[in-house]
Amino acid sequence: VLTLSNNIQTLSSQPNQQSSAPKDPKKQQTDKYKGKRGHSYETFISNLSVMFTGMPNTYGTTGQPKNRERVLYVLGCLEDDAATWARPLLDSLQPGKVPHALIDDYYGFMDELQKNFGDSTKAIKARQKLKTIRQGSRPVMQYISEFKILIAEAEYKEFTHVQELFMSGLDVDIIKFMPVLGEPKDEEELFTKA
């Protein structure tokens, strides 16, 4: 598996000879991912996103990803439990075999990776914490920072619900002055007025 993984890494890093577009910056190696859930997985996914965004000629853009290049790169970064999970995909790349469908479907591949290694309870935990988070004696900016992270993790999109949760944890002295500033139209205005 290690040899095949290294071969994939080499294939995915070879530049496209036909492109006349400006070259991407030199690729930085993403840390290997061993299959640990939680922070390790989140960091790995974030690092991939940053690298792919910074190298559009090599890996395409979010709207038009170069699916195979991205999947091959990610496969080359997997070790231990993650590499074991990916073995059927890696085996499908052997000469004479038909490549697994996910090899050419980056978003489908990432969905499967998420199902197997992501924290499926992350949104639930964030929603629970949002019900109890309070500003307390800390500065409002600290409360806003933590609140924004939890809203993103909880995947809340409806502004009125976000506003209700935010206001329920805000210090009462700040809440007293909020009506004077007018009704906020969106989250950023809500946080700015606080």
Side-chain angles (χ1 to χ4, degrees), residues 22 24 35 55 58 70 77 89 92 94 118 126 151 165 191:
D24 285 333
M55 301 186 71
T58 305
R70 286 184 180 204
C77 292
L89 281 83
S92 79
Q94 296 292 335
I151 286 295
L165 288 167
F191 300 142

Side-chain angles (χ1 to χ4, degrees), residues 3-126:
T3 303
L4 188 55
S5 178
N6 288 338
N7 289 344
I8 290 169
Q9 197 72 16
T10 302
L11 282 174
S12 70
S13 67
Q14 291 177 347
N16 183 353
Q17 302 297 329
Q18 300 169 348
S19 176
S20 63
K23 293 188 186 247
D24 285 333
K26 186 177 181 202
K27 178 172 29 178
Q28 298 297 315
Q29 180 65 37
T30 303
D31 289 340
K32 299 286 186 177
Y33 176 65
K34 296 181 179 195
K36 278 188 76 175
R37 294 182 184 275
H39 182 70
S40 176
Y41 174 78
E42 298 294 329
T43 300
F44 175 68
I45 297 303
S46 294
N47 289 342
L48 286 174
S49 179
V50 168
M51 191 189 71
F52 291 156
T53 300
M55 301 186 71
N57 296 322
T58 305
Y59 297 108
T61 61
T62 303
Q64 295 251 306
K66 292 183 178 177
N67 289 298
R68 182 169 283 226
E69 288 84 347
R70 286 184 180 204
V71 171
L72 290 176
Y73 181 79
V74 176
L75 285 171
C77 292
L78 303 181
E79 290 183 340
D80 300 342
D81 291 344
T84 301
W85 168 81
R87 182 159 204 133
L89 281 83
L90 294 168
D91 289 346
S92 79
L93 293 170
Q94 296 292 335
K97 293 195 175 188
V98 176
H100 192 287
L102 291 177
I103 297 293
D104 291 310
D105 180 6
Y106 173 70
Y107 292 115
F109 172 80
M110 293 306 286
D111 284 345
E112 289 301 313
L113 195 66
Q114 168 67 29
K115 286 177 193 172
N116 285 278
F117 299 105
D119 183 356
S120 60
T121 62
K122 184 178 178 179
I124 295 167
K125 291 175 190 172

Side-chain angles (χ1 to χ4, degrees), residues 171-190:
D171 183 86
V172 266
D173 290 332
I174 294 175
I175 292 174
K176 289 179 199 176
F177 292 102
M178 295 286 286
V180 175
L181 301 173
E183 190 66 26
K185 296 176 191 82
D186 58 29
E187 286 178 32
E188 283 310 309
E189 191 174 332
L190 173 67

